[in-house]
Amino acid sequence: MVIIIKKRQNKLVMSIALLTLLALIIVSMMMGRYDLSLSEVSKYFIGQANSSSKLILELRFIRIIAVVLVGAGLSMAGATFQSVFSNGLASPNLLGVSTGSSVGAAIAILNGKSIYWIEISAFITGILTVFLTLLINKILRSNSNITLILSGIIMSGLMQSVLGSVKYIADPENQLQSIVYWELGSFMKVDSQALISVGPILIVGIIFLLLTRWRLNTLSLDTYTIKTIGINPTLNRNLMILFATLLTAASVCLCGVVGWIGLVVPHVSRSLVGEDNRYALPMTAITGAILLLIADTLARSISVNDIPLSIITGFIGVPIFIVILIRRRNVGI
């Protein structure tokens, strides 16, 4: 009986969150340097908007779709890393994936490659960074969560040095600006072509993790128990890491590095629906989309120029994470 009530509560919470996301999408389309009315937004969706408002709403809608996909993808990647490594501090940033992906994107930019090559390069270096992080942890022969985090910090530091080297030799008139754009994180340059090329990868990654989310629950068990269920723990862990890295790399390709989303959102979602990933992971996707949509709307509305996303998410994420730490101080992260 208690389980049934809990399921109903979780479904209700997720339904409210989904309605909130839909409402925020409408509000976000209305807000910007040029505020538009609800009727103008409504006319856009039924094909009756005038030429000026249609152009503005077209650009905003493309950007909003990108924000929702990246918010969902980054937060789900963070939740996946935390579940696979049984570490609440694991995130795309702390394990070095974001920095590694940025290095790949920067190298591709330095060589004048297209968005497709930037995406491939970011993915390869992201995977390589995770592999080296796990390799360092394995060489140290430690099962400690702290050692894993330290390994990620080591690789992040190394990739930051490589990124600094690439920036040093980059053309300051053109290439350096593009690289700095990736570092700060912004959806300002997202257009339909970028969304079409990267969006499907984000969608595939999100769908895969949603369909296999129950396996994240089993991966938290010991190896013997997992094998008795009939699941290959090594294969499944590698697949989860692969798709979480894919989501991170694709997000970096689209908007650069966005901090705190992959770390904070999974904790917020678990506080709302519990630890069961069958509910926590979909809730994480919705919550991540909501949080990043709020941040991006603020980034393009409160100033003449777009404020870098990592600044906004930092101001939002830090107090939230402090509250989480206070609430969980007796049970640990």
Side-chain angles (χ1 to χ4, degrees):
M1 185 67 179
V2 176
I3 296 175
I4 295 175
I5 294 174
K6 182 64 177 176
K7 286 182 179 180
R8 289 177 178 173
Q9 288 177 342
N10 288 343
K11 290 179 180 178
L12 177 62
V13 170
M14 285 192 287
S15 298
I16 293 173
L18 191 58
L19 290 174
T20 302
L21 175 60
L22 294 175
L24 283 172
I25 289 174
I26 300 298
V27 172
S28 184
M29 291 192 69
M30 294 167 58
M31 293 178 62
R33 296 186 188 90
Y34 302 97
D35 290 336
L36 298 172
S37 65
L38 180 60
S39 62
E40 288 175 303
V41 175
S42 301
K43 288 178 181 177
Y44 170 76
F45 285 110
I46 60 176
Q48 295 181 359
N50 59 54
S51 57
S52 59
S53 62
K54 182 179 180 181
L55 178 61
I56 295 171
L57 290 169
E58 186 79 27
L59 295 173
R60 285 183 186 174
F61 187 64
I62 290 171
R63 180 166 175 163
I64 288 169
I65 295 300
V67 170
V68 169
L69 288 176
V70 170
L74 277 180
S75 57
M76 289 177 70
T80 301
F81 282 128
Q82 290 173 12
S83 296
V84 169
F85 298 123
S86 299
N87 190 327
L89 294 177
S91 73
N93 296 71
L94 287 178
L95 290 179
V97 184
S98 295
T99 312
S101 296
S102 296
V103 169
I107 292 173
I109 291 170
L110 190 64
N111 289 281
K113 300 297 183 180
S114 66
I115 182 66
Y116 299 102
W117 282 107
I118 293 174
E119 176 187 320
I120 293 170
S121 182
F123 178 63
I124 291 173
T125 51
I127 286 283
L128 179 62
T129 306
V130 173
F131 172 76
L132 292 175
T133 299
L134 297 177
L135 182 62
I136 292 172
N137 193 56
K138 188 174 182 179
I139 290 173
L140 295 174
R141 296 181 180 178
S142 173
N143 294 322
S144 170
N145 289 337
I146 298 299
T147 306
L148 177 65
I149 297 301
L150 291 175
S151 300
I153 292 173
I154 291 170
M155 285 309 305
S156 292
L158 175 61
M159 291 299 169
Q160 284 286 2
S161 298
V162 176
L163 185 61
S165 302
V166 174
K167 289 164 64 178
Y168 179 76
I169 62 176
D171 177 15
E173 294 295 327
N174 186 16
Q175 296 171 334
L176 186 59
Q177 292 181 5
S178 298
I179 294 171
V180 171
Y181 160 79
W182 293 109
E183 278 190 283
L184 296 176
S186 174
F187 287 92
M188 183 173 61
K189 295 183 180 179
V190 172
D191 55 17
S192 57
Q193 183 180 356
L195 184 59
I196 290 171
S197 62
V198 180
I201 297 174
L202 288 166
I203 293 171
V204 169
I206 290 170
I207 291 175
F208 176 84
L209 290 179
L210 285 175
L211 292 177
T212 59
R213 64 189 184 276
W214 62 274
R215 293 178 183 268
L216 290 174
N217 292 335
T218 60
L219 289 175
S220 62
L221 304 173
D222 61 90
T223 304
Y224 177 78
T225 305
I226 296 174
K227 288 182 178 179
T228 58
I229 299 174
I231 294 176
N232 186 326
T234 303
L235 176 62
N236 280 274
R237 282 194 179 96
N238 290 339
L239 276 175
M240 294 298 178
I241 292 171
L242 178 68
F243 275 90
T245 303
L246 175 65
L247 286 174
T248 304
S251 298
V252 171
C253 288
L254 202 58
C255 66
V257 179
V258 179
W260 291 98
I261 297 295
L263 176 62
V264 171
V265 172
H267 291 287
V268 174
S269 301
R270 292 188 197 108
S271 68
L272 294 172
V273 298
E275 301 289 333
D276 189 343
N277 282 297
R278 291 177 299 173
Y279 302 101
L281 204 63
M283 187 66 194
T284 296
I286 299 170
T287 308
I290 290 173
L291 185 60
L292 193 58
L293 185 57
I294 292 173
D296 183 65
T297 303
L298 291 173
R300 61 180 173 80
S301 300
I302 61 180
S303 176
V304 176
N305 297 316
D306 274 35
I307 299 173
L309 270 176
S310 290
I311 296 176
I312 304 292
T313 55
F315 280 120
I316 296 174
V318 169
I320 292 176
F321 199 61
I322 290 173
V323 172
I324 292 170
L325 287 174
I326 294 172
R327 290 183 61 185
R328 299 183 63 123
R329 63 185 180 275
N330 295 325
V331 296
I333 295 293

